[in-house]
Amino acid sequence: DSTVNTFVVTRYFHEIGTKLPSERIFGIGERAAKFQLKNGVYTMWNKDAPGAIDYGDSQGGHQTYGQHPVYMVQEQSKNFHIVFMRTSAPADVVIQDGKLTYKLVGGPINLLFWIGDESPENTVKMYHNYLGGHYLQPFWAFGFHISRWGWPNLAKIMDVAKNFKDNELPLDTMWSDIDYMIEKRDFTIDNDRYPPEQFRNFLKEYNLRFVPIVDAGIAVGDNDAFKEGQERDVYIKNALGKNLVGQVWPGYTTYVDFSHPNASDYWFDMIKNFRDILPFGGLWLDMNENANFCNGECNPYEETPDSGDDDLPHHPGGLFPSHKTLSINARHYDNVTELFWHGLNALAENYVTRNVLKKLGLRDVFILSRASYAGQSKYSTIWFGDQGSSFEYMQLSVSQAFSFNIFGFPFTGADICGFFWDAQPELCARWMQLGAFFPFARNHNANDSRDQEPYVLGDDVLITSQVSLKARYSLLKWYYSKFVELNGTGTVFRPLMWQYPQDDVVYLENILNEQILISDVLMITPVLREGQTIVWAYLPQDKWYNFKNGQKLQGSKDTPLYHETYAPLREVLPIFMRGGTIVYNQSTEGVTRVTHLSNEFSLVIALTDEVNGKYLAKGKIMTINDYQDMDNIEACQRQNGCLLDIDVEATIVDDTFTPVSYTHLRAHETGRNLVCRLLLEKKKNK
């Protein structure tokens, strides 16, 4: 219903709005915010904004790295629908008094709608399908990652890996920030501090993957990457047709125009030459909003034109669009201006990068990007960028993951223990408990913060990390199978409203933003407040068990309750399991890499209440022997041919029984259905 708003269309300003059917609205990214959007101004314009938090205010301007102009809202009918404003222009979205208003700085008005049902999952799947689906990350990327800006040399990286090994901490991937480069220049390796041959031997000996950072700015000067790009004319131009010069870590920089026909070959050569020296398992595309330490342009070599901001009648968020990025009148290939290309830059870079990796024959390479746009998850994924070491940022990481599920990015995460500020032991231990269950689990922090590897902050952090990561790895093949099962659309890491959208209690702020469903099976309740050792978990109307000990907590016909659970450090966070579901897990004795995981599993079966004298459960298990084989994994995903159905039927023989049972199983690539019939003896007087 757009009759409640004025409708304005001019060259550089459009205003269009609608009446909202309810206050339950989600999306409009990217921002560090609670999941449900409150009244306020929400700005969209990719921005290098470390530490920004957006609780909704009258000014806006608190957005971060990505642009996702989409929202989902619950109607009065209890059905959901999704609206996508297909624009890359800077914009404010105003939510006020039951209305939503777009204020766009030009560009087309292109609105798309998906009318869903009572299921948020069904509704977002339609949107994900329109976007082309999301890329299934390789299995190794689900292992634990360690990173640091400030590791000065290879010796330090090797020392970190040794400490992980000595402390029996699972680890699959080492990351390196700009420290490995020569004077912070892309596609260079400092041979003195990071000798390539020794680096290669270390990675092989420790069976580790390596992910280097690649920043957006190409350093101006006497270096191969800059000269090659200059020769191929692949850089973004200013309004005068000269290379636009900004400034980031190496000093003055140019920026690759990924819309240029020559950019793909240039990027291919740069990546191939780098990989010939130092093989990587993934690429980390950072600063690609594009970030700039000056506003617009800061070329010391020649006269620069103005940024073009003054030509605009509206400045979203109260700031010039060129603030900390490029001039909006900069030119891309075919004379497209930065004003309308800015939001698409990361999408184009990730598209080109994925195609480069395909051309190199690399099927299992993981791409992590800081900036993003709708549809980019076909090529890569994101993390939440630079956030502080505090309980507030840890809390917000949960709702950010929920929002990115709507946007089509199911595999996300925050920098565990926080990026800037000094992580305190209690916070880091709690964040390791939580982060061990995020799809993407990486500990990373800044060069001016204290060390926060799990073994340096005391026994509470170390022991909590050990048990939490072991729990992650014990469930990892089941967890991965839930992503395979999606086949490119849908979610795994969800709020409770996904499963119980008609239950008004799940929309209460503390439950909506703090309780997490893993698929429709497990519910986790992290500790998100300092000094807290008790969590109150809301159990919606369903049958629920304590996952750790099998205790029945609530029957499906019982009144929903809040369950008090002790949640100490040095243990795995509280986990609950929904009746009628099945999980498979495995021993992690001696396991410190995903490649150490066997194909022998135990079934954890959570039975329903009695149905016609029987107790039931259903699940799936993935029957692939080699989880590193992306050909088999992708074939399985496309054809659903390796997900074996498990149907469990339990019959009571005598008096009573323990309703969670464990059955030893080895997965084989045979058959389509596994039927388990359990005859469970009752014990008298129980």
Side-chain angles (χ1 to χ4, degrees), residues 39 47 75 119 314 358 364 394 441 521 563 587 611 648 679:
N39 285 347
K47 182 179 179 182
E75 303 167 357
S119 165
H314 178 65
K358 287 180 180 178
D364 65 343
M394 181 172 62
V521 181
H563 181 74
S587 170
V611 180
V648 173
L679 298 178

Side-chain angles (χ1 to χ4, degrees), residues 227-521:
K227 289 188 288 187
E228 191 65 32
Q230 183 87 317
E231 184 175 325
R232 303 190 195 196
D233 194 30
V234 298
Y235 298 129
I236 298 170
K237 310 300 182 187
N238 65 20
L240 300 178
K242 306 289 187 180
N243 289 342
L244 184 144
V245 176
Q247 187 175 14
V248 283
W249 300 115
Y252 294 111
T253 55
T254 52
Y255 299 85
V256 177
D257 176 6
F258 287 99
S259 69
H260 196 288
N262 295 339
S264 295
D265 287 343
Y266 166 76
W267 208 238
F268 174 87
D269 289 343
M270 294 300 102
I271 290 174
K272 181 181 183 303
N273 292 342
F274 182 90
R275 197 173 192 279
D276 286 345
I277 299 171
L278 189 57
F280 50 76
L283 288 173
W284 177 12
L285 306 180
D286 198 18
M287 307 287 284
N288 53 346
E289 293 76 30
N290 285 307
N292 189 0
F293 295 162
C294 54
N295 300 327
E297 187 172 11
C298 45
N299 190 338
Y301 309 109
E302 53 188 74
E303 180 184 358
T304 58
D306 65 66
S307 64
D309 293 299
D310 289 334
D311 297 333
L312 303 180
H314 178 65
H315 299 131
L319 291 171
F320 284 166
S322 65
H323 178 70
K324 294 185 67 176
T325 187
L326 312 187
S327 302
I328 62 167
N329 57 11
R331 294 294 191 268
H332 295 260
Y333 183 75
D334 209 19
N335 213 35
V336 176
T337 64
E338 175 72 7
L339 180 66
F340 300 118
W341 182 264
H342 176 85
L344 304 175
N345 181 75
L347 173 63
E349 182 188 24
N350 282 267
Y351 168 77
V352 169
T353 303
R354 178 58 65 189
N355 285 336
V356 165
L357 298 176
K358 287 180 180 178
K359 190 175 177 181
L360 288 170
L362 303 175
R363 299 290 303 281
D364 65 343
V365 173
F366 166 57
I367 304 174
L368 186 74
S369 175
R370 191 169 77 174
S372 60
Y373 186 75
Q376 188 173 309
S377 56
K378 286 184 292 187
Y379 315 115
S380 63
T381 192
I382 61 93
W383 91 110
F384 305 146
D386 300 348
Q387 298 182 333
S389 294
S390 74
F391 279 88
E392 181 180 24
Y393 283 106
M394 181 172 62
Q395 292 166 15
L396 291 172
S397 72
V398 176
S399 48
Q400 283 185 271
F402 294 161
S403 293
F404 267 100
N405 269 319
I406 295 175
F407 305 152
F409 293 78
F411 184 83
T412 60
D415 288 334
I416 295 173
C417 300
F419 176 72
F420 55 80
W421 302 331
D422 289 339
Q424 300 306 307
E426 181 190 357
L427 170 71
C428 200
R430 291 303 188 188
W431 213 326
M432 285 297 295
Q433 281 182 324
L434 170 62
F437 288 88
F438 261 78
F440 177 51
R442 182 185 74 160
N443 181 320
H444 173 64
N445 68 322
N447 63 337
D448 55 357
S449 301
R450 71 189 294 183
D451 291 343
Q452 62 185 38
E453 293 86 4
Y455 51 82
V456 301
L457 291 176
D459 286 346
D460 279 347
V461 179
L462 174 61
I463 296 170
T464 302
S465 300
Q466 288 169 332
V467 298
S468 298
L469 291 178
K470 288 289 186 179
R472 177 186 181 85
Y473 277 63
S474 74
L475 291 166
L476 205 56
K477 289 195 171 183
W478 170 79
Y479 204 170
Y480 189 64
S481 76
K482 305 312 289 185
F483 284 81
V484 173
E485 192 177 334
L486 294 180
N487 194 21
T489 65
T491 70
V492 174
F493 191 93
R494 307 166 175 171
L496 264 61
M497 60 166 277
W498 241 242
Q499 188 70 23
Y500 306 97
Q502 306 309 312
D503 185 343
D504 289 338
V505 176
V506 301
Y507 295 94
L508 296 177
E509 187 169 296
N510 62 320
I511 297 170
L512 181 64
N513 293 290
E514 297 180 17
Q515 291 187 218
I516 302 159
L517 279 175
I518 307 296
S519 187
D520 59 353
V521 181

Side-chain angles (χ1 to χ4, degrees), residues 467-633:
V467 298
S468 298
L469 291 178
K470 288 289 186 179
R472 177 186 181 85
Y473 277 63
S474 74
L475 291 166
L476 205 56
K477 289 195 171 183
W478 170 79
Y479 204 170
Y480 189 64
S481 76
K482 305 312 289 185
F483 284 81
V484 173
E485 192 177 334
L486 294 180
N487 194 21
T489 65
T491 70
V492 174
F493 191 93
R494 307 166 175 171
L496 264 61
M497 60 166 277
W498 241 242
Q499 188 70 23
Y500 306 97
Q502 306 309 312
D503 185 343
D504 289 338
V505 176
V506 301
Y507 295 94
L508 296 177
E509 187 169 296
N510 62 320
I511 297 170
L512 181 64
N513 293 290
E514 297 180 17
Q515 291 187 218
I516 302 159
L517 279 175
I518 307 296
S519 187
D520 59 353
V521 181
L522 299 179
M523 178 172 70
I524 62 174
T525 54
V527 173
L528 299 173
R529 289 168 182 81
E530 187 174 4
Q532 182 180 0
T533 57
I534 299 291
V535 293
W536 287 87
Y538 175 68
L539 304 181
Q541 189 162 28
D542 218 327
K543 192 166 188 179
W544 291 99
Y545 301 93
N546 183 318
F547 181 71
K548 297 177 185 179
N549 61 22
Q551 178 189 6
K552 175 187 168 182
L553 302 174
Q554 176 178 297
S556 60
K557 295 181 181 179
D558 295 340
T559 301
L561 56 78
Y562 286 88
H563 181 74
E564 182 182 18
T565 304
Y566 183 48
L569 297 174
R570 305 190 180 203
E571 291 186 14
V572 177
L573 49 65
I575 307 175
F576 306 89
M577 188 170 179
R578 195 170 68 86
T581 64
I582 298 172
V583 165
Y584 58 96
N585 62 6
Q586 58 193 135
S587 170
T588 54
E589 182 69 30
V591 170
T592 57
R593 305 284 186 271
V594 296
T595 54
H596 296 166
L597 293 169
S598 71
N599 283 328
E600 294 188 358
F601 307 99
S602 293
L603 293 183
V604 185
I605 303 167
L607 298 169
T608 61
D609 283 331
E610 184 180 357
V611 180
N612 298 323
K614 298 177 181 178
Y615 297 79
L616 309 174
K618 291 180 178 291
K620 294 178 183 290
I621 188 169
M622 198 160 77
T623 59
I624 282 183
N625 288 324
D626 183 4
Y627 278 55
Q628 314 304 318
D629 187 339
M630 286 300 291
D631 287 332
N632 274 345
I633 295 287

Side-chain angles (χ1 to χ4, degrees), residues 147-298:
S147 180
R148 177 70 195 268
W149 176 19
W151 287 336
N153 49 43
L154 179 59
K156 179 60 178 178
I157 289 179
M158 295 171 66
D159 179 68
V160 170
K162 182 178 184 302
N163 274 289
F164 265 80
K165 180 180 179 180
D166 292 346
N167 287 285
E168 298 181 349
L169 288 160
L171 176 67
D172 272 279
T173 310
M174 303 288 304
W175 294 59
S176 186
D177 210 304
I178 55 177
D179 310 285
Y180 76 88
M181 301 175 182
I182 300 172
E183 297 179 351
K184 304 173 184 175
R185 299 196 300 258
D186 279 346
F187 305 114
T188 64
I189 302 171
D190 190 317
N191 293 333
D192 294 329
R193 294 184 297 112
Y194 293 84
E197 184 176 2
Q198 186 181 2
F199 208 149
R200 292 192 298 268
N201 292 338
F202 153 70
L203 294 172
K204 184 177 181 179
E205 177 187 352
Y206 275 77
N207 187 24
L208 289 168
R209 306 272 181 158
F210 170 62
V211 180
I213 198 169
V214 178
D215 278 341
I218 303 296
V220 174
D222 186 17
N223 65 86
D224 291 341
F226 174 72
K227 289 188 288 187
E228 191 65 32
Q230 183 87 317
E231 184 175 325
R232 303 190 195 196
D233 194 30
V234 298
Y235 298 129
I236 298 170
K237 310 300 182 187
N238 65 20
L240 300 178
K242 306 289 187 180
N243 289 342
L244 184 144
V245 176
Q247 187 175 14
V248 283
W249 300 115
Y252 294 111
T253 55
T254 52
Y255 299 85
V256 177
D257 176 6
F258 287 99
S259 69
H260 196 288
N262 295 339
S264 295
D265 287 343
Y266 166 76
W267 208 238
F268 174 87
D269 289 343
M270 294 300 102
I271 290 174
K272 181 181 183 303
N273 292 342
F274 182 90
R275 197 173 192 279
D276 286 345
I277 299 171
L278 189 57
F280 50 76
L283 288 173
W284 177 12
L285 306 180
D286 198 18
M287 307 287 284
N288 53 346
E289 293 76 30
N290 285 307
N292 189 0
F293 295 162
C294 54
N295 300 327
E297 187 172 11
C298 45

